């Protein structure tokens, strides 16, 4: 399968994230993409570099003040200020958020903006965040271009991932919503309807927020029940869309520890909904943290099950773009990714 990849992903390499009240090494790190790339090359997939589409397709999904914040953040963070006469050269994590009791107003201060535009303390902003996130989006866009050129499928080896990034919020290791940007690009390039299927263990809250009131993009997500699983505050079954988008959002939350038959039944329900929507293309947020050995997830899929996932998606008969999302069992992540892609291709 055609794979789009760039070394620019290495520029996002955070030192630590806040986990259980302590700073720990980031689960999301360059080794994830390294392992996937190694298996892609071992499988003999064609590999290309992304082309630069500029900021316009990103701005079609993300708000301009948010994009400007990410683009300028590091130069502002490292500039001398009243908090640091020499500037701060370490990674940034937020210290305060505009919660329910606060007004939702964008501050002028960089520390206030850091909280305003973020949803967690597990996603450090680093010196390389902007170029890594920018080129991750370009990776997805280039994959979408290949569908527009007639390819049956493509794999965008995106890193950092994207599905937790909303129109003006980053978090969950995500800065730009690669799948949403690709879906919007397909729409802007003439496709009438696009479906997004998110199979990551964690709900794609950002993708849902971006398309929630639209009827031209169907969003379907299979994920851990948000009553107990990150991101907690979205992903419930009663979230069906709003306005023109009512009925175009389908959440299939599953209890922690769900077994393979339970997950596969949800996939069948998702595929039925996608087929009924009759989209012109499918974008898959390919999270691999449903694997039985993932350190921050609890589903039970094995490598062979991922092959069955790809085979089932192929039966939809849709041009399909796969965008890499989560998956933190680094050793087998590449094998699991290629298992999905080979299943789709019938290998």
């Amino acid at each position: 399968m055609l794979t789009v990849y760039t070394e620019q992903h290495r520029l996002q390499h955070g030192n630590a994230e806040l986990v259980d009240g302590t700073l720990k090494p980031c689960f999301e790190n360059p080794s994830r993409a390294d392992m996937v790339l190694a298996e892609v090359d071992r499988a003999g997939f064609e590999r290309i570099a992304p082309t630069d589409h500029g900021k316009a397709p990103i701005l079609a999904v993300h708000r301009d003040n948010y994009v400007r914040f990410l683009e300028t953040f590091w130069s502002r963070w490292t500039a001398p200020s009243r908090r640091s006469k020499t500037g701060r050269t370490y990674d940034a994590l937020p210290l305060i958020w505009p919660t329910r009791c606060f007004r939702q107003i964008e501050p002028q201060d960089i520390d206030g903006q850091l909280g305003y535009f973020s949803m967690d303390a597990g996603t450090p902003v680093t010196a390389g965040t902007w170029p890594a996130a920018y080129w991750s989006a370009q990776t997805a866009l280039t994959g979408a271009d290949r569908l527009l050129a007639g390819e049956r499928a493509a794999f965008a080896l995106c890193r950092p991932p994207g599905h937790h990034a909303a129109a003006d919020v980053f978090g969950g290791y995500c800065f730009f919503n690669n799948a949403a940007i690709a879906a919007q690009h397909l729409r802007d390039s003439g496709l009438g309807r696009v479906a997004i299927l998110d199979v990551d263990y964690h709900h794609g809250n950002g993708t849902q927020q971006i398309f929630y009131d639209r009827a031209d993009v169907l969003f379907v997500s299979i994920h851990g029940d948000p009553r107990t699983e990150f991101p907690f505050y979205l992903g419930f079954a009663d979230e069906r869309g709003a306005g023109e988008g009512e009925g175009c959002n389908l959440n299939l939350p599953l209890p922690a520890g769900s077994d393979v038959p339970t997950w596969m039944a949800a996939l069948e329900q998702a595929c039925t909904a996608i087929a009924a929507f009759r989209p012109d293309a499918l974008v898959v947020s390919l999270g691999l943290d449903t694997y039985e050995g993932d350190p921050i997830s609890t589903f039970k899929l094995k490598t062979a099950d991922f092959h069955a996932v790809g085979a089932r998606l192929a039966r939809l008969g849709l041009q399909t773009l796969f965008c890499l999302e989560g998956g933190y069992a680094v050793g087998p992540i590449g094998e699991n990714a290629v298992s999905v892609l080979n299943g789709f291709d019938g290998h």
Side-chain angles (χ1 to χ4, degrees):
M1 180 177 291
L2 177 82
T3 298
V4 189
Y5 170 81
T6 173
E7 289 282 314
Q8 295 291 325
H9 79 88
R10 299 185 187 284
L11 298 174
Q12 174 62 14
H13 194 176
N15 289 318
E17 62 176 291
L18 189 64
V19 180
D20 297 331
T22 63
L23 289 173
K24 296 182 178 179
C26 294
F27 284 106
E28 205 295 299
N29 61 67
S31 66
R32 298 177 60 249
D34 291 341
M35 297 301 287
V36 176
L37 184 67
E39 290 299 323
V40 161
D41 287 345
R42 188 172 292 115
F45 293 172
E46 178 187 357
R47 176 151 59 94
I48 64 171
T51 56
D52 191 352
H53 297 69
K55 287 188 288 187
I58 297 173
L59 289 166
V61 166
H62 293 284
R63 295 186 180 128
D64 56 356
N65 61 333
Y66 171 70
V67 174
R68 185 167 56 252
F69 164 78
L70 287 178
E71 186 174 17
T72 62
F73 178 84
W74 195 251
S75 62
R76 295 171 62 206
W77 182 252
T78 56
S81 68
R82 59 190 175 88
R83 291 188 178 85
S84 173
K85 295 192 185 318
T86 58
R88 296 172 283 193
T89 58
Y90 42 85
D91 293 355
L93 290 173
L95 57 85
I96 189 169
W97 289 271
T99 57
R100 292 185 302 277
C101 59
F102 288 162
R103 295 182 66 184
Q104 308 295 306
I105 296 175
E106 180 186 347
Q108 295 181 350
D109 182 271
I110 191 170
D111 289 278
Q113 289 179 343
L114 184 60
Y116 180 79
F117 288 118
S118 70
M119 64 180 252
D120 65 21
T123 310
V125 185
T126 75
T129 293
W130 166 260
Y134 177 89
W135 282 102
S136 189
Q138 304 305 324
T139 297
L141 286 163
T142 302
D145 281 346
R146 296 305 290 255
L147 265 60
L148 293 167
E151 295 273 359
R152 175 173 176 257
F155 173 42
L157 208 171
C158 296
R159 186 185 168 269
H163 71 147
H164 292 305
D168 60 355
V169 173
F170 72 87
Y173 312 137
C174 304
F175 298 95
F176 290 143
N177 195 311
N178 307 307
I181 290 167
Q184 185 62 49
H185 182 60
L186 292 170
R187 283 285 294 109
D188 290 340
S189 299
L191 298 193
R193 292 151 75 91
V194 176
I196 302 174
L197 172 62
D198 192 322
V199 295
D200 194 279
Y201 181 83
H202 306 95
H203 177 250
N205 59 286
T207 315
Q208 173 172 304
Q209 182 268 332
I210 289 165
F211 295 113
Y212 200 63
D213 60 354
R214 289 173 50 174
D216 58 331
V217 177
L218 173 71
F219 177 63
V220 182
S221 179
I222 308 167
H223 52 270
D225 191 327
R227 291 176 298 178
T228 61
E229 307 301 313
F230 183 93
F232 301 112
Y233 306 110
L234 280 180
F236 295 90
D238 64 348
E239 297 160 9
R240 299 285 294 155
E244 293 182 1
E246 186 173 354
C248 293
N249 195 91
L250 176 61
N251 287 324
L252 300 169
L254 302 176
S258 290
D259 59 17
V260 174
T262 300
W263 196 93
M264 289 296 182
L267 177 63
E268 192 61 36
Q269 187 177 349
C271 288
T272 298
I274 292 167
F277 185 69
R278 300 179 66 186
D280 298 298
L282 172 65
V283 177
V284 178
S285 277
L286 184 59
L288 299 160
D289 44 4
T290 51
Y291 178 66
E292 62 178 353
D294 195 274
I296 60 174
S297 308
T298 68
F299 289 166
K300 306 298 184 182
L301 274 67
K302 296 178 172 59
T303 300
D305 298 316
F306 288 108
H307 190 277
V309 172
R312 179 61 186 93
L313 296 180
R315 292 203 299 275
L316 287 168
L318 296 168
Q319 286 184 292
T320 301
L321 172 65
F322 295 90
C323 295
L324 184 65
E325 300 284 4
Y328 308 100
V330 174
I333 188 175
E335 188 177 356
N336 292 337
V338 169
S339 186
V340 175
L341 304 177
N342 278 338
F344 187 90
D345 278 343
H347 299 318

